[in-house]
Amino acid sequence: MSTPNEAASCLAVILAAGEGTRMKSARPKVLHEVAGLSLVGHALKSAEAAGIGRAVVVIGPDRPDVAKEVTRLMPEAEVVEQRERRGTAHAVLQAERAIASGHKAIVVLFGDTPLVRPETIRALAEAVQQGKTAIAVTGFQAKDPKGYGRLILDGTDLVDIREHRDASEKERAITLCNGGLMALRGELALDLLKSVQNRNAQNEFYLTDCVGLARARGFSARVIEVAEEEALGVNDRVQLAACEAVLQNRLRERHMRNGVTLIAPETVFFATDTVIGRDVLIEPNCVFGPGVSIAENAVIHSFSHLEGATVAAGATVGPFARLRTGASLGKGAKVGNFVEVKNADLGAGAKVSHLTYLGDATIGAAANIGAGTITCNYDGFHKFRTKIGAGAFIGSNSSLVAPVTIGAGAFVGSGSVVTKDVPPNALAVARGQQVTKEGWADQFRARPENQVRQKPSR
């Protein structure tokens, strides 16, 4: 946008009412995810990143799940229903009240096109605020234009948009296709939308007809050309996977250009909100779910899975580690192979090297957690927290039954089941007394029932 005020004066209308029957899913299409974010979430976030000041999301009837997702991601967004599916222009008109409230530009986005860049949205909005241009649409050169609406040009002016089913053979030869997004000059938007007729093969009110209507009023329309991948929409699981692949490549490139080393980029998968500092090393076959933040100089070893976790500078994770929601690793902390951490804080320099589960726990700085340690945090009804002080040493194969506190500098003997608090600098041993019976094994083997019969030699 030219200025912040101009950005705030634009309205995004996001169409998210489609049933998505080709997804073959109980979930509405716009709630399926790409890179850890719902499809409708991508539209909301792109509009927000473009500086659009207000958003209205048009959803299908009786879809509280979609409304809930919109509110979760953008509480200030307005949600309206399209109870009858009568075409895209009809869908946009469900936001009539917001459109009539006065905006310099109305940008129409779709809840199933997750690859649209904020820069494209800004370009659309800016175009209709300049000169005689009343409408701007995205267009792309299609490798296979079948099924797409065609953009019909006169020089650089957009004359019309013809849906494939309504196009002539000559028009179907055009490879410049409609990318779907459209911006309308705010002062003209309602008049154009209400003038759309349904004289077409589908008997629907097409948003694309606004182009011809604007030209009939003496205004021009123009095309903002984008790469074909940016116009990719999701109608089935195959297209969902195609969008995932494109977005993952974008995310990998972004992180590498920001100073992250990916040894095998094609094997690493990010969420859209993954934050990674400089000089982080990520080995092959790692997955980052939503809500992950990794500070500089950390190392994420192979086959690790992180979600909702924070990793401080210089910490190491994996290989074969899992950090779940609420996991927080302090500076220089270590989570090793086959360790799972959930809702637990590890202080600076704390080490959990292998074969351990830490759930609902606070681990002090420089504490050492031995192999096979378990924080027993759940009694079948409630979760409880384990607290381990700085510099404590937990011996291998110990079970810490929460709620319990291990004091700073304390030791827990290997194989212990700890049910009571351990004072600082104390030793706790909670296991059965070992009993040794000399010669017992020979007597056991000598029992008649334990004799091994020798097979006769041949």
Side-chain angles (χ1 to χ4, degrees), residues 352-394:
V352 192
S353 295
H354 33 223
L355 303 164
T356 293
Y357 170 70
L358 298 179
D360 301 291
T362 300
I363 315 298
N368 187 88
I369 312 300
T373 297
I374 299 171
T375 57
C376 305
N377 57 331
Y378 184 52
D379 66 358
F381 297 94
H382 305 287
K383 296 289 183 70
F384 300 95
R385 198 162 188 87
T386 297
K387 298 179 180 179
I388 300 173
F393 183 96
I394 310 300

Side-chain angles (χ1 to χ4, degrees), residues 13-16 29-32 34 37-47 108-118 120-121 124 138 140 148 178-182 226 228-235 239-240 243-244 247 250:
V13 179
I14 300 172
L15 305 187
K29 176 172 63 173
V30 296
L31 294 188
H32 286 262
V34 171
L37 180 64
S38 63
L39 296 177
V40 70
H42 281 279
L44 287 165
K45 294 300 184 182
S46 290
V108 181
L109 309 175
F110 292 85
D112 61 358
T113 54
L115 301 176
V116 176
R117 298 177 186 270
T120 298
I121 298 173
L124 286 167
T138 53
F140 64 96
Y148 290 110
N178 181 22
L181 277 64
M182 177 181 289
V226 298
E228 183 170 3
E229 70 175 28
E230 193 168 349
L232 285 177
V234 174
N235 291 303
Q239 292 174 333
L240 184 71
C243 286
E244 181 78 52
L247 190 52
R250 286 185 187 177

Side-chain angles (χ1 to χ4, degrees), residues 158-173:
L158 177 63
V159 175
D160 210 345
I161 304 176
R162 194 83 72 235
E163 296 298 325
H164 179 85
R165 64 177 67 89
D166 300 317
S168 66
E169 287 302 314
K170 182 178 179 181
E171 289 168 339
R172 290 184 180 184

Side-chain angles (χ1 to χ4, degrees), residues 213-237:
L213 292 168
R215 288 180 59 82
R217 287 161 171 74
F219 294 95
S220 65
R222 58 173 293 194
V223 176
I224 304 296
E225 194 164 339
V226 298
E228 183 170 3
E229 70 175 28
E230 193 168 349
L232 285 177
V234 174
N235 291 303
D236 56 31
R237 310 283 182 142

Side-chain angles (χ1 to χ4, degrees), residues 387-401:
K387 298 179 180 179
I388 300 173
F393 183 96
I394 310 300
S396 297
N397 202 35
S398 294
S399 296
L400 311 179
V401 183

Side-chain angles (χ1 to χ4, degrees), residues 59-391:
I59 68 173
D62 306 314
R63 292 279 23 152
D65 46 0
V66 179
K68 182 179 179 180
E69 172 72 353
V70 172
T71 301
R72 181 183 74 86
L73 294 170
M74 188 180 287
E76 67 276 16
E78 182 181 353
V79 178
V80 298
E81 287 188 0
Q82 183 189 21
R83 301 204 69 85
E84 297 179 85
R85 289 179 171 81
R86 303 180 64 190
T88 47
H90 177 263
V92 176
L93 275 172
Q94 305 315 298
E96 180 176 352
R97 186 179 65 177
I99 297 170
S101 64
H103 300 276
K104 290 186 176 181
I106 312 299
V107 183
V108 181
L109 309 175
F110 292 85
D112 61 358
T113 54
L115 301 176
V116 176
R117 298 177 186 270
E119 296 86 349
T120 298
I121 298 173
R122 284 197 294 269
L124 286 167
E126 288 173 352
V128 298
Q129 297 178 60
Q130 299 170 359
K132 294 278 289 181
T133 300
I135 290 181
V137 304
T138 53
F140 64 96
Q141 294 292 341
K143 297 182 180 69
D144 179 7
K146 184 177 180 181
Y148 290 110
R150 305 308 202 275
L151 300 183
I152 301 171
L153 301 180
D154 180 7
T156 59
D157 288 343
L158 177 63
V159 175
D160 210 345
I161 304 176
R162 194 83 72 235
E163 296 298 325
H164 179 85
R165 64 177 67 89
D166 300 317
S168 66
E169 287 302 314
K170 182 178 179 181
E171 289 168 339
R172 290 184 180 184
I174 296 172
T175 58
L176 183 62
C177 294
N178 181 22
L181 277 64
M182 177 181 289
L184 301 91
R185 183 176 295 184
E187 66 200 51
L188 303 173
L190 274 184
D191 175 52
L192 294 173
L193 290 164
K194 290 184 174 182
S195 299
V196 173
Q197 302 296 312
N198 61 342
R199 293 190 291 268
N200 51 65
Q202 293 297 104
N203 196 36
E204 291 186 350
F205 296 89
Y206 291 154
L207 179 64
T208 50
D209 288 350
C210 288
V211 172
L213 292 168
R215 288 180 59 82
R217 287 161 171 74
F219 294 95
S220 65
R222 58 173 293 194
V223 176
I224 304 296
E225 194 164 339
V226 298
E228 183 170 3
E229 70 175 28
E230 193 168 349
L232 285 177
V234 174
N235 291 303
D236 56 31
R237 310 283 182 142
V238 174
Q239 292 174 333
L240 184 71
C243 286
E244 181 78 52
V246 171
L247 190 52
Q248 288 300 331
N249 282 332
R250 286 185 187 177
L251 294 171
R252 292 161 187 154
E253 181 176 348
R254 178 197 304 170
H255 288 304
M256 287 188 289
R257 292 193 182 281
N258 286 337
V260 179
T261 296
L262 305 180
I263 293 176
E266 68 281 5
T267 70
V268 178
F269 293 83
F270 296 106
T272 56
D273 64 350
T274 305
V275 177
I276 308 178
R278 293 188 306 172
D279 294 316
V280 169
L281 170 65
I282 300 176
E283 293 181 350
N285 299 298
C286 292
V287 176
F288 298 84
V292 175
S293 178
I294 303 173
E296 60 187 21
N297 294 306
V299 177
I300 311 300
H301 293 292
S302 294
F303 296 100
S304 294
H305 188 287
L306 294 78
E307 182 173 358
T310 301
V311 179
T316 62
V317 177
F320 295 98
R322 185 183 183 196
L323 301 187
R324 294 168 56 190
T325 300
S328 178
L329 277 59
K331 186 175 182 180
K334 177 183 178 181
V335 169
N337 51 290
F338 303 105
V339 173
E340 180 175 345
V341 181
K342 187 270 297 183
N343 191 28
D345 304 314
L346 274 66
K351 295 181 180 180
V352 192
S353 295
H354 33 223
L355 303 164
T356 293
Y357 170 70
L358 298 179
D360 301 291
T362 300
I363 315 298
N368 187 88
I369 312 300
T373 297
I374 299 171
T375 57
C376 305
N377 57 331
Y378 184 52
D379 66 358
F381 297 94
H382 305 287
K383 296 289 183 70
F384 300 95
R385 198 162 188 87
T386 297
K387 298 179 180 179
I388 300 173

